[in-house]
């Protein structure tokens, strides 16, 4: 697949051949769904906790005697049917995380990259950084490619300067080529792929597949 490479000023520079094994696959919606659901589940904290009747503070004595009052028989004041009593089947701390096969996760990432490339949401830009680390300098560059929309930048390495410049920009997410997140990548309305990151992506996924064989 051929894509145009743009300068940080938004001018066309050259073309690049993107690996069809990464950017030209048929979109597999099922594995994309599984990958996104897995990421969201793994982010859940799972700290919700309610008290049962055994844990609620209060007396264990019966509020009144069993017979002779004309009322229904009652246990203690901590009964779930009383105000302030325990909770029946309430949430308890739990771990929501689970794992999916690595092969499935890799396929999901490649499917999302293929989807973004085929829908023209993906733009390849020459390698750049923000040496000043200032937000205004990064905003000036992004204004040539995205207009107040959810944007994802795929980096060729862990560039601290560009991340520092983008901390105060809402709806901007940074991903390294070897640590992609399905949720951010799928919901990005604009994906800016650095030129070196495109080459690194192809090498990374091809090497991983060869090692898995």
């Amino acid at each position: 697949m051929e894509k145009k490479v743009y300068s940080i000023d938004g001018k066309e520079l050259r073309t690049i051949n993107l690996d069809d094994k990464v950017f030209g696959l048929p979109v597999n919606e099922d594995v994309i769904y599984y990958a996104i659901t897995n990421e969201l589940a793994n982010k859940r904290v799972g700290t919700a906790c309610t008290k049962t009747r055994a844990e609620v503070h209060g007396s264990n004595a019966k509020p009144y005697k069993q017979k002779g009052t004309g009322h229904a028989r009652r246990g203690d004041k901590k009964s779930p049917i009383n105000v302030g009593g325990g909770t029946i089947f309430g949430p308890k701390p739990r771990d929501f995380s689970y794992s999916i096969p690595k092969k499935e996760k890799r396929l999901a990432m490649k499917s999302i990259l293929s989807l973004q490339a085929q829908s023209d949401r993906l733009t390849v830009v020459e390698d750049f950084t923000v040496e000043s680390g200032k937000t205004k300098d990064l905003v000036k560059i992004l204004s040539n490619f995205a207009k107040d929309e959810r944007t994802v930048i795929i980096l060729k390495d862990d560039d601290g300067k560009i991340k520092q410049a983008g901390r105060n920009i809402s709806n901007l997410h940074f991903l390294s080529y070897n640590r992609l997140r399905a949720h951010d990548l799928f919901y990005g309305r604009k994906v800016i792929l650095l030129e070196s990151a495109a080459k690194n992506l192809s090498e990374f996924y091809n090497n991983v597949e060869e090692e898995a064989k």
Side-chain angles (χ1 to χ4, degrees), residues 91-103:
K92 286 290 185 182
R94 57 173 291 192
D95 182 11
F96 289 94
S97 66
Y98 64 94
S99 60
I100 61 176
K102 292 180 180 179
K103 188 175 181 180

Side-chain angles (χ1 to χ4, degrees), residues 19 21-23 25 102-103 105-111 113 176-182 185 197-213:
D19 190 350
K21 294 180 180 178
V22 178
F23 297 93
L25 295 177
K102 292 180 180 179
K103 188 175 181 180
K105 191 168 186 177
R106 289 195 296 268
L107 179 58
M109 298 303 175
K110 290 188 289 186
S111 288
L113 288 170
S176 296
Y177 75 93
N178 56 348
R179 292 193 298 274
L180 299 180
R181 292 190 298 272
L185 193 57
K199 300 174 182 177
N200 292 343
L201 274 170
S202 299
E203 294 175 1
F204 176 74
Y205 281 111
N206 288 331
N207 290 339
V208 167
E209 288 181 359
E210 288 178 5
E211 292 174 0
K213 291 180 180 179

Side-chain angles (χ1 to χ4, degrees), residues 122-137:
L122 186 143
T123 303
V124 183
V125 180
E126 64 175 343
D127 295 346
F128 70 90
T129 187
V130 182
E131 292 294 344
S132 64
K134 293 184 177 180
T135 301
K136 66 178 182 180
D137 294 335

Side-chain angles (χ1 to χ4, degrees), residues 137-201:
D137 294 335
L138 181 56
V139 169
K140 184 178 179 180
I141 296 172
L142 293 178
S143 64
N144 296 314
F145 305 102
K147 305 295 182 183
D148 297 327
E149 53 193 340
R150 191 179 185 126
T151 305
V152 176
I153 300 179
I154 302 180
L155 305 172
K156 59 185 176 67
D157 51 28
D158 192 17
D159 190 337
K161 283 293 185 181
I162 194 172
K163 288 184 176 180
Q164 178 184 342
R167 283 186 303 184
N168 294 327
I169 303 177
S170 60
N171 292 328
L172 177 64
H173 302 273
F174 294 102
L175 300 177
S176 296
Y177 75 93
N178 56 348
R179 292 193 298 274
L180 299 180
R181 292 190 298 272
H183 183 271
D184 291 340
L185 193 57
F186 179 77
Y187 287 105
R189 306 303 298 176
K190 197 69 177 179
V191 178
I192 297 175
L193 175 64
L194 298 191
E195 189 174 4
S196 293
K199 300 174 182 177
N200 292 343
L201 274 170

